[in-house]
Amino acid sequence: MSVSIALFTQDLRLHDNPVLRAALADADEVVPLFVLDDGVAATGFAVPNRSAFLAGCLADLDAGLRSRGGRLVLRRGAVAAETARLAAATGAVSVHVAAGVSGFAQRRESALREALGGRLRVHDAVLTALAPGAVTPAGKDHYAVFTPYLRAWRAAQRRHPVAAPRAVRVPADVPDGVPGGALPDVRPDSPGLPAGGESAGRARWSAWQVDRYEEVHDDLEGDGTSRLSPYLHFGCLSAAELVALAERRGGPGAEAFVRQLVWRDFHHQVLAARPDAAHADYRPHDDRWHRDEAELAAWKAGRTGYPIVDAGMRQLAHEGWMHNRARLLTACFLAKTLYLDWRAGAAHFLSLLVDGDVANNQLNWQWVAGTGTDTRPNRVLNPLTQAKRFDPDGAYVRRWVPELAHVPGAAVHQPWLLAERPDYPAPLVGLDTGRFQQGRGR
Ligand SMILES: Cc1cc2nc3c(=O)[nH]c(=O)nc-3n(C[C@H](O)[C@H](O)[C@H](O)COP(=O)(O)OP(=O)(O)OC[C@H]3O[C@@H](n4cnc5c(N)ncnc54)[C@H](O)[C@@H]3O)c2cc1C
């Protein structure tokens, strides 16, 4: 009997998984492998919210494999060494893995190549709908501006989604578990975390109304976005399959949704070409960032005195997720109004976000801070204007800031004007943009 290995990374699914399909096509039996990576733990990226969600993803993947006659094989350690050990023990003819994007994933791929040589097969466009580098502007290795990327993306050939396998045969003599411990049993920091896994992700997609997406996606209280981001981050859902489903559905809502998935591909192709953009300014402006630990702490705790900002930060703490509009305005408040280094804000987001993703988080932060791909790097979002546009009745603030739950209507956005002052902080700073303008030397 020939054996191959399907090494799962950020593709924790059975539907539209080219890695698993190719491993199945290559041999009589397959080892579906996930390695709890010591390297990820060492970077600090494995925070409680994402680790708890990951445990759900792995349990669901194992259940899905078992319903097809297989099972998930778990190991803990260094990915390349563990995979090579298993390949030697099973005499695997090939090891299949999805191409990664971050510097970490690129180093992991090199280590796998070194350990496995010609037996390694790397599959493109598993984590994104279009592979990074599949379209490039003349003479460059990636697109730095979204609109031309969107045009090229639309014109490009994309792979068709593949079906989930009906049966998976795993060699009987491979032990399932991790020596010294099974699935990570982690208590999440956020009580309102969603359930991890492909089943939960597919159920969410089926229950969600894509048709209304364009109308409602910026309405903070309406909460009408897909909330699929954690499932996309861990690959419980395939971006290529979601694009195909949305394109088949058609209409303005589906089109607007696909556009957001293209933003995801866009950031991934930037990071694949410039892995240093995870930490270094993509377009430096010689910012002389303000430093103030007390201001940073107030922002993290949702106690800036600006209710719309505080509501977003408290949603993040409670759910491990934040609405995109709230991410934009809380990040802008940190990086432009307080003019604190975007890296501090991005790190706080990554410490809690269940969808926390190096490409999407760091490059969206850079976009907001004006050090990234935004073609208008000096734009500043005024939190009061944002509040009036995207939470006109104040319901989002009342939901997340209980100290203000009794304040009716839009008055909740300016508690400092109320005749009876609630037990809520005064604004941390004024809304003038002096610090940003001076620091950037405009
Ligand atoms: C400062 C900041 C930090 C962010 N950090 C992350 C992060 O760590 N992980 C993450 O997945 N997204 C991040 N985003 C992008 C976006 O806010 C989330 O993807 C979105 O809010 C997730 O909710 P949803 O699934 O309901 O999105 P929907 O509106 O339903 O969009 C569908 C999908 O499109 C993708 N998408 C949407 N907007 C963006 C965007 N601006 N950039 C890239 N992809 C996008 C996501 O995969 C999302 O699930 C960040 C945005 C900002 C402004």
Side-chain angles (χ1 to χ4, degrees), residues 50 204 208 213 217 223-233 242 256-268 321-332 346 349-350 353-368:
R50 283 192 297 283
R204 171 73 199 160
W208 179 63
Y213 181 73
H217 72 275
D223 196 11
T225 66
S226 70
R227 286 183 176 253
L228 293 177
S229 50
Y231 303 100
L232 281 158
H233 169 72
L242 288 181
F257 177 67
V258 170
R259 189 184 160 92
Q260 292 316 108
L261 292 171
V262 182
W263 267 109
R264 182 175 179 276
D265 278 10
F266 172 72
H267 290 315
H268 279 73
W321 183 89
M322 204 198 288
H323 191 285
N324 179 58
R325 179 52 52 182
R327 294 188 205 208
L328 285 166
L329 67 90
T330 54
C332 192
F349 270 32
L350 281 186
L353 278 176
V354 63
D355 63 24
D357 183 278
V358 175
N360 277 356
N361 192 61
Q362 307 307 87
L363 291 168
N364 270 296
W365 265 96
Q366 294 229 38
W367 191 92
V368 173

Side-chain angles (χ1 to χ4, degrees), residues 138-155:
K140 305 230 164 86
D141 61 359
H142 71 286
Y143 278 89
V145 179
F146 178 70
T147 309
Y149 178 73
L150 176 64
R151 268 196 300 273
W153 187 98
R154 284 187 174 137

Side-chain angles (χ1 to χ4, degrees), residues 129-291:
L130 189 67
V135 291
T136 49
K140 305 230 164 86
D141 61 359
H142 71 286
Y143 278 89
V145 179
F146 178 70
T147 309
Y149 178 73
L150 176 64
R151 268 196 300 273
W153 187 98
R154 284 187 174 137
Q157 280 280 348
R158 279 172 279 124
R159 70 169 182 84
H160 294 290
V162 295
R166 293 223 175 109
V168 178
R169 273 178 69 142
V170 178
D173 53 354
V174 178
D176 296 352
V178 182
L183 286 176
D185 180 16
V186 185
R187 244 183 116 78
D189 286 330
S190 301
L193 212 65
E198 182 174 18
S199 309
R202 294 186 86 78
R204 171 73 199 160
W205 163 257
S206 303
W208 179 63
Q209 300 283 323
V210 70
D211 294 344
R212 298 194 56 230
Y213 181 73
E214 203 202 6
E215 282 159 57
V216 301
H217 72 275
D218 257 338
D219 170 3
L220 280 165
E221 178 55 15
D223 196 11
T225 66
S226 70
R227 286 183 176 253
L228 293 177
S229 50
Y231 303 100
L232 281 158
H233 169 72
F234 284 93
C236 308
L237 294 177
S238 134
E241 188 186 4
L242 288 181
V243 168
L245 289 167
E247 284 178 341
R248 200 175 315 145
R249 177 96 192 155
E255 261 174 47
F257 177 67
V258 170
R259 189 184 160 92
Q260 292 316 108
L261 292 171
V262 182
W263 267 109
R264 182 175 179 276
D265 278 10
F266 172 72
H267 290 315
H268 279 73
Q269 58 94 45
V270 173
L271 189 70
R274 289 274 308 272
D276 65 309
H279 301 289
D281 289 347
Y282 180 76
R283 289 200 178 106
H285 291 276
D286 297 324
D287 282 291
R288 297 185 298 277
W289 302 105
H290 182 68
R291 294 169 81 100

Side-chain angles (χ1 to χ4, degrees), residues 48-67:
N49 279 352
R50 283 192 297 283
S51 295
F53 191 88
L54 171 66
C57 298
L58 296 176
D60 187 63
L61 183 60
D62 183 50
L65 287 162
R66 283 181 192 274
S67 72

Side-chain angles (χ1 to χ4, degrees), residues 51-176:
S51 295
F53 191 88
L54 171 66
C57 298
L58 296 176
D60 187 63
L61 183 60
D62 183 50
L65 287 162
R66 283 181 192 274
S67 72
R68 290 162 170 85
R71 64 204 153 84
L72 184 63
V73 171
L74 272 180
R75 291 287 181 273
R76 173 174 287 134
V79 176
E82 287 301 322
T83 309
R85 209 188 322 273
L86 198 59
T90 56
V93 292
S94 55
V95 174
H96 298 259
V97 69
V101 166
S102 63
F104 183 88
Q106 292 180 19
R107 285 191 295 280
R108 180 180 60 204
E109 195 176 304
S110 305
L112 281 165
R113 200 173 295 288
E114 203 168 300
L116 297 161
R119 280 179 299 167
L120 184 70
R121 313 262 188 284
V122 179
H123 298 268
D124 281 337
V126 180
L127 311 187
T128 49
L130 189 67
V135 291
T136 49
K140 305 230 164 86
D141 61 359
H142 71 286
Y143 278 89
V145 179
F146 178 70
T147 309
Y149 178 73
L150 176 64
R151 268 196 300 273
W153 187 98
R154 284 187 174 137
Q157 280 280 348
R158 279 172 279 124
R159 70 169 182 84
H160 294 290
V162 295
R166 293 223 175 109
V168 178
R169 273 178 69 142
V170 178
D173 53 354
V174 178
D176 296 352

